[in-house]
Amino acid sequence: MVSHASIFAHRGLSGHYPENTMAAFQAAMDSGADGIELDVQMTKDGQLVIIHDERIDRTTDGNGYVKDFTYEELNELDAGGWFASSFTGESLPTLENVFQWLVKESNRLTLNIELKNDIIHYEGMEEKVLNLIDDYQLEERIILSSFNAQSLKKVRELHPTISIGYLIAGIRTDALAVAEDIGADAIHCQEDFALSNYGKKALEAGFPLRVYTVNRYEAKADLVAAGVEVIMTDYPEQFK
């Protein structure tokens, strides 16, 4: 049982910076966060791009689905101005951009990559992500998570040792059984699951809990007491 929890910056330091941008990731590192959680979708030309929504409307000045644009087209969009005018000109990074930053000597962060393939099926996403991790020799610093259990099962078949977090919302009574079935080694959940009997049983069965998205500092003590491994927050500087 852990006596403290690691703090991951949810989509980077997204309480103060435009989410899923390099500015947000650098600020997260500067804040003292232990890790970063980010989201991967796939472009029309098969590039792995960092953005949470399947559509680009909310966090860029474009509109439409990520899958209908090439990365070159997406790279022309402003991914910062929606948050504040001072961030106008921020672009959507690729997963490789993030890896190039992650391997710099000063960077020791853990990276939780959420595969956003639970709504749109991105053919070959798992292979592309794993190949890139291999290219940069980052296996020890990466966690792959998804709401899509079959995608995670495929990840485990392709890679026997990489860390996998089964992602759930609310109190899923079958979470432990599914996690065991797909070869996950942790459960990524919300506070209510972590503090429930189901969360306790998962911990007792050897499945660490990584909890998202916790923005009330007052929640930290209960989560640490419950034995959670990671707290993901938009405000990591407050939790550190």
Side-chain angles (χ1 to χ4, degrees):
M1 194 70 78
V2 296
S3 57
H4 73 284
S6 296
I7 305 301
F8 283 15
H10 179 246
R11 307 181 199 168
L13 197 81
S14 57
H16 303 287
Y17 289 77
E19 65 181 59
N20 280 327
T21 60
M22 293 309 301
F25 300 149
Q26 181 62 48
M29 186 171 84
D30 294 343
S31 79
D34 302 298
I36 287 173
E37 184 270 353
L38 53 70
D39 308 278
V40 171
Q41 312 261 358
M42 248 168 73
T43 64
K44 186 179 182 178
D45 54 339
Q47 297 297 306
L48 298 165
V49 63
I50 310 304
I51 183 170
H52 176 271
D53 300 1
E54 287 71 24
R55 293 185 64 91
I56 61 177
D57 309 39
R58 180 176 65 85
T59 57
T60 78
D61 58 348
N63 60 76
Y65 285 93
V66 174
K67 68 179 179 63
D68 295 330
F69 294 86
T70 64
Y71 179 68
E72 190 176 354
E73 291 167 335
L74 291 177
N75 196 38
E76 296 296 315
L77 300 175
D78 172 21
W82 67 275
F83 188 85
S85 59
S86 56
F87 295 112
T88 299
E90 279 293 322
S91 57
L92 295 175
T94 62
L95 187 58
E96 186 157 21
N97 294 152
V98 177
F99 282 6
Q100 289 165 347
W101 171 74
L102 207 63
V103 296
K104 289 182 178 175
E105 198 172 326
S106 59
N107 195 323
R108 295 283 182 273
L109 293 169
T110 298
L111 190 66
N112 175 192
I113 302 168
E114 182 182 342
L115 307 177
K116 298 296 292 187
N117 51 8
D118 51 308
I119 293 175
I120 291 172
H121 175 66
Y122 292 113
E123 186 66 43
M125 175 186 265
E126 298 88 354
E127 289 93 340
K128 282 178 182 284
V129 170
L130 288 169
N131 287 340
L132 199 61
I133 292 167
D134 189 50
D135 288 346
Y136 282 83
Q137 299 182 311
L138 281 167
E139 177 193 339
E140 299 300 319
R141 294 170 62 192
I142 301 289
I143 299 162
L144 297 181
S145 63
S146 179
F147 286 102
N148 184 336
Q150 291 311 305
S151 175
L152 294 180
K153 193 168 190 173
K154 183 178 178 184
V155 167
R156 180 54 76 226
E157 287 166 357
L158 291 166
H159 199 303
T161 55
I162 197 150
S163 181
I164 291 176
Y166 176 43
L167 192 49
I168 61 168
I171 299 181
R172 282 281 302 270
T173 58
D174 63 343
L176 177 57
V178 175
E180 289 175 332
D181 176 63
I182 64 178
D185 47 48
I187 294 172
H188 292 205
C189 60
Q190 293 168 310
E191 277 181 68
D192 54 356
F193 181 88
L195 299 176
S196 72
N197 281 332
Y198 295 103
K200 188 178 178 184
K201 285 176 183 170
L203 282 169
E204 288 169 351
F207 283 80
L209 300 182
R210 304 182 184 125
V211 184
Y212 72 96
T213 304
V214 184
N215 287 334
R216 295 181 310 109
Y217 180 78
E218 309 80 66
K220 182 180 179 182
D222 286 345
L223 291 170
V224 171
V228 307
E229 181 182 89
V230 171
I231 295 173
M232 303 185 201
T233 175
D234 298 335
Y235 302 97
E237 77 289 353
Q238 294 180 16
F239 285 75
K240 291 300 288 185

